[in-house]
Amino acid sequence: MSAEQVSGLCEQLVKAVTVIMDPASTQRYRLEALKFCEEFKEKCPICVPCGLKLAEKTQTAIVRHFGLQILEHVVKYRWNNMPRLEKVYLKNNVMGLISSGTQSILEEESHIKDVLSRIVVEMIKREWPQHWPDMLKELDTLSKQGETQTELVMFILLRLAEDVVTFQTLPTQRRRDIQQTLTQNMEKIFSFLLTALQQNVNKYRLMKTDLAQEPKAQANCRVGIAALNTLAGYIDWVALRHITADNCKLLEMLCLLLNEPELQVGAAECLLIAVSRKGKLEDRKPLMVLFGDVAMHCILSAAQTADGEGLVEKHYVFLKRLCQVLCALGSQLCALLGSDCNVETPANFGKYLESFLAFTTHPSQFLRSSTQIPWGALFRHEVLSRDPLLLAVVPKYLRACMTNLVKVGFPSKADSPSCEYSRFDFDSDEDFNAFFNSFRAQQGEVIRMACRLDPLTGFQMAGEWLKYQLTAPVDTGPTNSKTGEGLCSIFSPSFVQWDAMTFFSESVISQMFRTMDKDEIPVNDGIDLLQLVLNFETKDPLILSCVLTNVSALFPFVTYRPEYLPQVLSKLFASVTFEVVEESKFVVSVQAPRTRAVKNVRRHACSSIIKMCRDYPQLVLPNFEMLYNHVKQLLSNELLLTQMEKCALMEALVLISNQFKDYERQKAFLEELMAPVAGLWLSPEMQRVLSDPEAFISYVGADNKIADPVLEDPSGLNRSRISFCVYTILGVVKRARWPAATEEAKAGGFFLGYLPSGTPMYRNPCTEQVLKLFDNLLALIRTHNNLYTPEMVARLGDTFAKALDMLEVEKNAILGLPQPLLDLYDSPVYKTVLERMQGFFCTLYDNCFHILGNAGPSMQQDFYTVEGLATQLLSSAFNNLNNIPDYRLRPMLRVFVKPLVLSCPAEYYETLVCPVLGPLFTYLHMRLSQKWQVINQRNMLCEDDAADDNPESQEMLEEQLVRMLTREVMDLATVCCVSKKGVEQNTTAAVDGDDDEAMATEVTPPANTELTELGKCLMKQEDVCTAVLITAYTSLSWKDTLSCQRTTTQLCWPLLKQVLPGNLLPDAVSWFFTSVLKGLQVHGQHDGCMAALVHLAFQIYEALRPRYGELKAVMEQIPDIQLDSLEQFDSKLLNPTLQKVADKRRKDHFKRLISGCIGKPIGEQFRKEVHIRNLPSLFKKVKPSLETDVLENEDGEGFNVLFEP
């Protein structure tokens, strides 16, 4: 290798790098240059001298960076094959570059410093401590040369900690060696870091005011910042004693640095990491020094200074850190106080609370929200919650909440000091809105906790605020509502105040009734407030909605003074018929469509009446006749209420009728209530309409062509009649019940005896009425399903061609597109007659299935014994499923099939559930398999062809719907087959959860994964058993991570375990095992899925390998499998006499065997492998057993340890 050769190559490399980085280069030249550079790095034998030459100080920064990259590449990929002398040569030269090969600290580019520190760390990872024992000494010597070298040493130490401890990017044994050696030397490292920090900070403080010395001062400052960053990388994991050594010298230094503008953010970061440490309480005790005078003074003065300098991003970031430090301090105090550590309440606790309150009242909504969880912890704490200082702060906290609950601070506005801060924290108003809603919910929790400590103060504040709002003039602000002139929009100053006050009073009053004894409740004050609210009149729908919430919140006071009930009812009934324009109540012609704000008020009034009847039925019962007459009067005018409102009022009546506790009386009442519905529903015309799709389309007006799609709607009344009937049947089925107490049920004539299983049987007073209407309901469902046949879709009129499609709102919800904020309240509910029609079909479909879903729990044996029920359901609800779109099938499974199955007594499994679920699961498997096949083919095509990138594209919507349907199907299978206890809690809440839902990486299958009685019954039926098993195992390789993880952890193994005792065909066993491995190929990149699937594959292999040799053949096909290692694993498994290896070791060995089929994230698929060899072990193992060590170390390197003297 001659110097000319090196120079010649270097010239070519410089040209190539210049071409790559020159924006004017053509793509072809750039690619050629790139190829030349990459081939040089991979193949050239003289990389080291070339790299060193290019890294010389005389070259430009870009060339030097490339030279250093070459050296890094050599260390990462060629180190294992380099002769020892070449390694020493490279190491000495790199250390020489740190010593004298870089520009000064202020001039050198940060990317040069970064790559240089990376090279050293890569060498350390391969050689320290065994082959490079003096590494720390060498770094210490380098640091004595000056600031430039000290900073680079800091970078090296930080990078090393990150690679070894934080990211753990090296093999286990090397990581253990390095981490243990770091831990042994931690005192030296900490002493080095602290000394460097202290010396450089002192020099910086001395020189920063002297202009002549400014460059030197800046250099010292840089080293200080680097020392703080490096400390931050260590404080997180080193033993706490290093952090609290020398009377917490480190913490004291950090506190003092909080008032040093250039270093304060780094200091706050370190402090935060230190204060957030978990560990033994005894070890954390010294952290209480931060409640001392010096520390508190430093933190508070730094906060005041940062806040006093106005909104500058740097200061605001610092304030956030300080706020987090105070939060973490509060958590430490809550953990230590009241434990066995003899920690007293700090003397400065009052000062701490005041400063914490200052953050809670800061204009930044983000800072306010950050303090909520610690407040909750303080108010809940058994010792602190009794502390007089904390009790004195409760009223102040509540006062702060009165401000914080007001929804202001939208980044696009300028109507509050918060707006300016929000522009730093939120990208859009929608973003802020989502944040504020969760912040408000959190505040509600904490307000309730605060009111446990002082309920009366909260109530007095709520009362004052309510009185103030009732008398304050309405300020609609600049944004006028489209609902009507002079009305509030959701941004109007008056509405945001009303909204906040309502939330506050609701939180406070509900807690007061829970906390205080009955005799202590301020009944007179409560009733006075209620009267004020009842007498308040407003024509503003948004404010009226708040008024209704206040009526509900104050309603518990009526239990003490029942004479006020009629007034409350009158107020609510007046709101049920609320209109902005009075006249339109009585005009029959089509009125302007109601806006959502108006609809919400009416709906709100209805649900308040229902809630009152549900929660206080005994109180309302004496006024039943008055209530009934009110409702009759409203129902007499067909146009006055929407169908939903009519039914809500009827539901309220049904709830009160449950209090009759007399079967015959309630049955007679329900008969009378439902007479209009029965008359309409059973009329010959309606029967014809409900059973014939063509007649139905014509009756609801979906075959018309309409000239004015906004105002003209000739068939609106027909649709509303069908809706009214369906809503009423649903309301009655949902609400009519027998008394909960068995004695009362017996006395009232509801009790029928016991089932063979010992379950009591009751009769529902609504059964007779509902079953009379049942045939027509099934006819309607069958007809509705048939509307989706191509012939019927073709019959829809021009205006209604898309009548069966999803509403835009539903699409947006599925695609996760935010709704524009103002639109929600100001736009009409349905803008056109097409939207009305879509809404009608969607609601009708859902409600029919809600009735079927509620029929079982409601009518029990009377429903399950309907003659030929399974056949009737199969020919109606499950008719024409092929044409039913995913967005209709999903709710059917959720609101009908799932409740039907869950509430069905075991006596009817054979006659009802199995005949329905067998064909259903078979069909669902076929349907989902086809859908996923289409998606997978489409994805393959997309890779070849540029896909449509529009986020609202139909494909994306369809794909998301298939995912949601898959989750629904797998959830149904799980609910049917696996113990309800373990499953329901996990599945119901998150059926629609996001794909990126946080996934646990450790897999603990539910403790109770036994099959339910229904599961066992289903598994006995061959067709159902096959369908469920095949669906569960096929779904593992469908591209939905959430569904895969749930199915793997909850369903797959219990199902397979059930069929193990039988004679499974070898092909079937191989197929199950292969399905799991395919799942690993698709989902292996997600830790949660990967862990669950590996566990399942391991269970299957361990349980079935002894009986089925075919599984070994499947294993042998896994790419890169080590056959000798497989033999070893198999021989252990098949030889029961051998000593059993620990479960975790067996599983780890198995995971290594199948690693060839575990999918990787796309970013890692083409990455070049880095191999770091293990060095001779530093620590002798205690009595290593030969077989386990060989098993651990398949490369035979374990023998070095065995034969060491």
Side-chain angles (χ1 to χ4, degrees):
M1 172 193 74
S2 66
E4 288 86 39
Q5 244 182 315
V6 173
S7 297
L9 251 177
C10 285
E11 274 177 39
Q12 287 176 275
L13 286 166
V14 170
K15 280 181 192 163
V17 172
T18 313
V19 167
I20 293 170
M21 302 306 286
D22 182 0
S25 303
T26 64
Q27 192 185 10
R28 201 180 114 233
Y29 271 150
R30 186 175 287 120
L31 282 174
E32 278 180 15
L34 200 57
K35 191 178 171 196
F36 173 70
C37 291
E38 287 306 311
E39 281 184 358
F40 167 81
K41 282 200 282 191
E42 291 296 334
K43 297 174 183 167
C44 181
I46 53 170
C47 276
V48 174
C50 289
L52 288 169
K53 186 163 180 60
L54 293 175
E56 286 170 1
K57 253 200 281 198
T58 49
Q59 306 278 14
T60 64
I62 284 175
V63 171
R64 291 171 63 217
H65 183 259
F66 179 68
L68 292 167
Q69 269 188 327
I70 293 172
L71 299 180
E72 185 188 13
H73 189 275
V74 168
V75 178
K76 280 174 86 168
Y77 300 108
R78 295 196 189 178
W79 193 257
N80 296 340
N81 304 321
M82 279 168 71
R84 185 173 167 278
L85 286 175
E86 198 178 342
K87 290 180 184 176
V88 174
Y89 170 74
L90 176 53
K91 189 267 287 188
N92 290 340
N93 275 289
V94 170
M95 299 310 254
L97 285 172
I98 294 177
S99 167
S100 56
T102 62
Q103 315 285 2
S104 78
I105 187 168
L106 298 177
E107 293 166 27
E108 188 57 274
E109 300 279 357
S110 56
H111 55 279
I112 301 281
K113 297 175 186 176
D114 187 49
V115 72
L116 197 47
S117 61
R118 282 207 309 265
I119 297 171
V120 179
V121 171
E122 289 302 331
M123 292 193 291
I124 293 172
K125 278 154 62 171
R126 285 157 179 78
E127 300 297 336
W128 187 67
Q130 289 92 326
H131 296 165
W132 190 4
D134 295 337
M135 185 273 294
L136 287 173
K137 278 185 196 160
E138 287 184 42
L139 293 184
D140 189 39
T141 311
L142 279 172
S143 68
K144 293 190 168 80
Q145 290 186 4
E147 289 81 16
T148 306
Q149 290 73 17
T150 309
E151 186 190 34
L152 284 166
V153 169
M154 297 290 175
F155 286 171
I156 291 166
L157 289 174
L158 173 59
R159 178 88 193 193
L160 182 61
E162 285 174 346
D163 279 5
V164 174
V165 182
T166 315
F167 304 125
Q168 305 192 348
T169 55
L170 61 173
T172 314
Q173 192 184 320
R174 284 303 298 131
R175 195 182 52 149
R176 209 179 287 141
D177 285 355
I178 295 174
Q179 193 167 341
Q180 285 176 333
T181 314
L182 277 174
T183 305
Q184 285 169 356
N185 289 285
M186 198 48 74
E187 263 175 53
K188 291 181 198 163
I189 294 173
F190 253 68
S191 147
F192 165 72
L193 292 172
L194 282 184
T195 311
L197 179 61
Q198 199 158 21
Q199 286 175 353
N200 282 282
V201 167
N202 291 344
K203 287 179 191 170
Y204 169 62
R205 282 181 170 155
L206 281 173
M207 292 187 279
K208 69 176 177 181
T209 48
D210 181 354
L211 278 176
Q213 302 269 29
E214 197 188 351
K216 289 213 72 172
Q218 279 306 313
N220 292 124
C221 179
R222 280 281 180 86
V223 178
I225 291 170
L228 287 169
N229 287 339
T230 306
L231 275 167
Y234 282 83
I235 292 175
D236 199 17
W237 58 273
V238 300
L240 270 162
R241 60 191 161 79
H242 296 299
I243 299 170
T244 53
D246 282 352
N247 286 334
C248 298
K249 181 182 167 189
L250 168 62
L251 297 178
E252 185 189 339
M253 277 175 70
L254 293 172
C255 286
L256 293 169
L257 287 177
L258 293 176
N259 287 296
E260 196 59 72
E262 292 299 320
L263 300 161
Q264 58 186 183
V265 175
E269 198 74 59
C270 288
L271 207 51
L272 174 60
I273 297 169
V275 184
S276 307
R277 281 289 298 265
K278 300 280 180 277
K280 285 184 189 164
L281 292 175
E282 197 56 47
D283 294 344
R284 283 148 59 181
K285 207 165 140 186
L287 295 173
M288 287 295 102
V289 74
L290 293 170
F291 277 102
D293 292 339
V294 179
M296 269 292 140
H297 173 73
C298 290
I299 294 172
L300 302 192
S301 61
Q304 282 159 353
T305 312
D307 196 35
E309 293 177 359
L311 179 52
V312 179
E313 185 165 13
K314 189 180 166 193
H315 295 150
Y316 182 38
V317 168
F318 175 59
L319 264 184
K320 286 184 190 174
R321 289 291 167 277
L322 279 185
C323 179
Q324 287 172 297
V325 168
L326 286 176
C327 292
L329 255 181
S331 302
Q332 289 290 9
L333 178 63
C334 289
L336 289 165
L337 199 63
S339 65
D340 306 332
C341 296
N342 299 327
V343 172
E344 304 276 303
T345 305
N348 281 327
F349 184 54
K351 196 187 269 188
Y352 169 79
L353 288 175
E354 285 302 321
S355 58
F356 206 50
L357 194 64
F359 278 106
T360 309
T361 52
H362 191 276
S364 157
Q365 295 284 16
F366 182 85
L367 285 177
R368 293 174 183 180
S369 75
S370 304
T371 62
Q372 295 306 316
I373 290 175
W375 277 122
L378 292 168
F379 293 145
R380 262 199 320 262
H381 196 272
E382 53 177 337
V383 178
L384 290 171
S385 60
R386 296 195 288 270
D387 190 292
L389 288 168
L390 186 68
L391 292 173
V393 168
V394 169
K396 296 178 185 173
Y397 170 76
L398 290 173
R399 189 72 61 194
C401 285
M402 291 169 68
T403 308
N404 293 355
L405 287 169
V406 179
K407 191 187 268 191
V408 289
F410 283 93
S412 70
K413 298 190 177 299
D415 54 4
S416 139
S418 303
C419 298
E420 216 181 333
Y421 288 91
S422 293
R423 284 193 270 282
F424 277 104
D425 291 320
F426 306 102
D427 293 332
S428 64
D429 284 359
E430 282 76 17
D431 214 10
F432 173 79
N433 193 48
F435 151 81
F436 193 89
N437 291 341
S438 68
F439 169 34
R440 176 180 278 188
Q442 209 176 34
Q443 277 188 95
E445 287 289 310
V446 183
I447 289 170
R448 286 190 280 278
M449 285 174 209
C451 288
R452 271 191 215 155
L453 308 181
D454 189 355
L456 273 177
T457 303
F459 177 65
Q460 282 158 359
M461 287 182 179
E464 282 166 31
W465 197 2
L466 176 57
K467 285 177 191 163
Y468 172 77
Q469 280 308 128
L470 290 168
T471 52
V474 172
D475 174 4
T476 58
T479 323
N480 229 328
S481 168
K482 297 175 200 159
T483 308
E485 201 53 46
L487 298 178
C488 288
S489 79
I490 55 165
F491 297 123
S492 300
S494 279
F495 172 67
V496 292
Q497 287 291 335
W498 264 100
D499 190 33
M501 178 275 293
T502 302
F503 185 87
F504 184 77
S505 61
E506 227 183 343
S507 305
V508 166
I509 295 169
S510 66
Q511 190 57 49
M512 181 178 76
F513 277 99
R514 280 194 212 116
T515 308
M516 293 178 73
D517 289 338
K518 265 196 148 182
D519 325 334
E520 293 174 354
I521 286 190
V523 177
N524 292 339
D525 296 348
I527 289 292
D528 290 348
L529 287 175
L530 181 64
Q531 273 188 295
L532 289 171
V533 175
L534 292 174
N535 295 333
F536 178 75
E537 292 298 330
T538 177
K539 280 280 149 238
D540 194 304
L542 291 175
I543 291 177
L544 180 54
S545 209
C546 296
V547 170
L548 294 177
T549 307
N550 281 294
V551 171
S552 296
L554 293 163
F555 188 76
F557 287 109
V558 179
T559 55
Y560 296 82
R561 302 277 170 82
E563 64 271 23
Y564 285 95
L565 182 65
Q567 266 178 278
V568 173
L569 285 172
S570 301
K571 182 78 177 177
L572 293 174
F573 274 108
S575 307
V576 169
T577 56
F578 174 81
E579 292 285 1
V580 173
V581 187
E582 267 306 303
E583 304 79 74
S584 63
K585 273 191 190 181
F586 307 104
V587 178
V588 179
S589 69
V590 178
Q591 59 206 39
R594 290 190 185 114
T595 61
R596 197 167 288 280
V598 172
K599 185 180 177 185
N600 282 354
V601 165
R602 297 171 65 123
R603 194 175 272 189
H604 193 148
C606 291
S607 51
S608 298
I609 294 171
I610 288 182
K611 197 173 160 196
M612 195 169 72
C613 296
R614 185 194 67 200
D615 298 343
Y616 302 96
Q618 288 294 354
L619 181 66
V620 185
L621 186 60
N623 291 276
F624 179 73
E625 286 308 317
M626 170 197 161
L627 188 67
Y628 193 14
N629 290 332
H630 251 314
V631 175
K632 274 189 209 166
Q633 197 181 340
L634 289 173
L635 293 178
S636 62
N637 178 344
E638 196 168 13
L639 294 169
L640 199 53
L641 301 178
T642 67
Q643 309 321 312
M644 192 178 212
E645 290 155 6
K646 290 178 190 171
C647 300
L649 297 179
M650 290 164 85
E651 278 184 49
L653 291 173
V654 175
L655 281 166
I656 301 301
S657 76
N658 289 336
Q659 293 303 309
F660 295 170
K661 298 185 178 167
D662 174 341
Y663 177 79
E664 291 303 332
R665 182 184 168 196
Q666 192 178 359
K667 183 182 160 195
F669 162 71
L670 291 173
E671 198 168 331
E672 185 186 328
L673 185 71
M674 292 185 76
V677 172
L680 192 58
W681 193 247
L682 298 173
S683 65
E685 188 201 7
M686 192 59 91
Q687 269 182 305
R688 179 182 65 80
V689 165
L690 296 180
S691 45
D692 175 10
E694 268 185 69
F696 183 78
I697 286 180
S698 172
Y699 182 77
V700 300
D703 57 353
N704 297 348
K705 182 175 181 179
I706 287 181
D708 181 348
V710 176
L711 292 177
E712 200 184 322
D713 187 6
S715 305
L717 209 52
N718 286 349
R719 288 200 303 276
S720 68
R721 283 175 183 151
I722 292 179
S723 294
F724 174 59
C725 294
V726 172
Y727 267 126
T728 308
I729 299 170
L730 175 58
V732 170
V733 165
K734 212 162 71 178
R735 302 294 184 182
R737 282 293 182 278
W738 51 90
T742 311
E743 290 313 307
E744 286 183 340
K746 284 179 179 171
F750 296 89
F751 185 73
L752 290 176
Y754 296 94
L755 284 166
S757 60
T759 318
M761 284 197 297
Y762 300 98
R763 55 182 182 162
N764 193 322
C766 78
T767 301
E768 201 176 302
Q769 291 307 310
V770 173
L771 289 181
K772 208 164 65 179
L773 311 174
F774 193 62
D775 286 346
N776 274 4
L777 179 76
L778 291 181
L780 169 61
I781 292 174
R782 186 181 308 112
T783 297
H784 201 303
N785 279 8
N786 283 328
L787 293 184
Y788 290 94
T789 57
E791 308 88 76
M792 286 300 131
V793 173
R795 287 181 184 273
L796 296 173
D798 294 357
T799 314
F800 299 110
K802 293 190 169 181
L804 296 169
D805 285 10
M806 293 173 82
L807 283 160
E808 280 305 309
V809 187
E810 287 183 290
K811 285 184 191 174
N812 291 345
I814 286 171
L815 289 169
L817 299 174
Q819 211 45 13
L821 292 176
L822 256 179
D823 272 15
L824 274 175
Y825 291 88
D826 270 350
S827 57
V829 182
Y830 298 124
K831 298 186 183 72
T832 64
V833 69
L834 169 64
E835 282 192 17
R836 253 169 223 238
M837 190 69 80
Q838 285 178 327
F840 164 74
F841 280 129
C842 172
T843 315
L844 185 67
Y845 193 80
D846 282 3
N847 284 342
C848 287
F849 284 119
H850 271 293
I851 294 171
L852 290 182
N854 279 288
S858 170
M859 300 183 284
Q860 299 205 327
Q861 68 290 330
D862 291 326
F863 175 66
Y864 293 116
T865 52
V866 166
E867 200 175 328
L869 180 60
T871 318
Q872 290 195 54
L873 290 176
L874 285 170
S875 68
S876 55
F878 302 111
N879 178 42
N880 189 34
L881 287 186
N882 268 334
N883 290 311
I884 302 277
D886 292 346
Y887 54 87
R888 290 284 168 263
L889 191 53
R890 245 184 88 221
M892 178 182 99
L893 296 177
R894 180 188 299 163
V895 302
F896 157 46
V897 182
K898 195 166 154 186
L900 174 84
V901 166
L902 283 178
S903 60
C904 183
E907 285 78 3
Y908 309 113
Y909 285 168
E910 300 278 350
T911 54
L912 174 65
V913 179
C914 290
V916 168
L917 287 185
L920 181 64
F921 274 121
T922 310
Y923 168 73
L924 289 171
H925 170 252
M926 180 193 75
R927 176 169 177 143
L928 286 173
S929 298
Q930 288 170 353
K931 297 258 178 191
W932 280 108
Q933 202 176 345
V934 169
I935 289 174
N936 292 339
Q937 283 170 347
R938 190 187 289 159
N939 287 350
M940 285 163 73
L941 287 172
C942 285
E943 285 164 21
D944 307 335
D945 191 23
D948 173 15
D949 237 350
N950 172 12
E952 287 137 306
S953 72
Q954 194 55 28
E955 282 182 8
M956 196 164 167
L957 182 67
E958 282 167 17
E959 199 165 314
Q960 194 53 19
L961 277 166
V962 174
R963 276 202 178 86
M964 292 168 123
L965 180 61
T966 304
R967 289 172 198 178
E968 209 61 69
V969 171
M970 299 327 298
D971 183 44
L972 176 64
T974 309
V975 161
C976 291
C977 300
V978 184
S979 292
K980 295 170 195 168
K981 201 184 280 172
V983 175
E984 276 189 327
Q985 296 152 353
N986 304 338
T987 52
T988 46
V991 153
D992 293 341
D994 263 340
D995 294 358
D996 50 359
E997 198 172 277
M999 295 212 170
T1001 47
E1002 266 310 302
V1003 170
T1004 44
N1008 187 7
T1009 45
E1010 291 304 307
L1011 287 194
T1012 53
E1013 283 312 306
L1014 172 59
K1016 288 172 188 165
C1017 176
L1018 290 172
M1019 295 307 274
K1020 282 180 200 153
Q1021 315 272 333
E1022 197 170 332
D1023 57 338
V1024 191
C1025 171
T1026 311
V1028 176
L1029 264 169
I1030 288 181
T1031 310
Y1033 278 85
T1034 313
S1035 75
L1036 300 182
S1037 50
W1038 292 337
K1039 287 184 180 168
D1040 182 37
T1041 336
L1042 198 63
S1043 167
C1044 169
Q1045 188 169 9
R1046 284 190 193 148
T1047 309
T1048 312
T1049 47
Q1050 293 168 356
L1051 190 60
C1052 286
W1053 181 243
L1055 289 181
L1056 189 57
K1057 204 165 67 173
Q1058 189 66 21
V1059 296
L1060 284 187
N1063 282 327
L1064 282 173
L1065 293 172
D1067 284 357
V1069 173
S1070 298
W1071 182 85
F1072 287 128
F1073 189 55
T1074 310
S1075 298
V1076 182
L1077 297 183
K1078 278 185 185 165
L1080 271 168
Q1081 226 167 351
V1082 176
H1083 299 290
Q1085 58 182 309
H1086 304 287
D1087 289 346
C1089 273
M1090 189 259 286
L1093 288 161
V1094 168
H1095 180 73
L1096 177 60
F1098 177 66
Q1099 279 178 306
I1100 293 175
Y1101 196 78
E1102 281 224 313
L1104 293 172
R1105 169 68 184 89
R1107 280 165 57 194
Y1108 296 93
E1110 288 78 4
L1111 289 184
K1112 186 180 177 189
V1114 175
M1115 287 287 275
E1116 285 168 349
Q1117 292 166 41
I1118 291 174
D1120 307 325
I1121 189 156
Q1122 295 178 336
L1123 293 173
D1124 52 343
S1125 188
L1126 174 62
E1127 287 296 339
Q1128 197 182 2
F1129 185 83
D1130 261 16
S1131 62
K1132 287 248 175 86
L1133 181 64
L1134 300 173
N1135 188 346
T1137 55
L1138 273 177
Q1139 174 198 348
K1140 263 283 193 207
V1141 181
D1143 203 40
K1144 184 173 183 332
R1145 279 195 167 177
R1146 290 206 316 281
K1147 202 194 286 185
D1148 285 349
H1149 186 183
F1150 181 76
K1151 184 178 171 183
R1152 284 198 297 275
L1153 287 174
I1154 61 171
S1155 60
C1157 67
I1158 297 178
K1160 292 179 179 172
I1162 198 148
E1164 283 176 30
Q1165 282 175 18
F1166 309 103
R1167 185 192 282 173
K1168 190 172 177 185
E1169 286 287 327
V1170 175
H1171 297 287
I1172 299 179
R1173 280 192 185 154
N1174 286 333
L1175 300 181
S1177 180
L1178 279 174
F1179 309 98
K1180 288 190 179 173
K1181 294 183 183 170
V1182 187
K1183 283 191 185 171
S1185 76
L1186 179 60
E1187 60 180 30
T1188 58
D1189 255 90
V1190 173
L1191 200 157
E1192 282 272 281
N1193 221 318
E1194 288 153 15
D1195 299 325
E1197 285 162 20
F1199 291 106
N1200 297 348
V1201 189
L1202 294 177
F1203 299 118
E1204 263 189 11

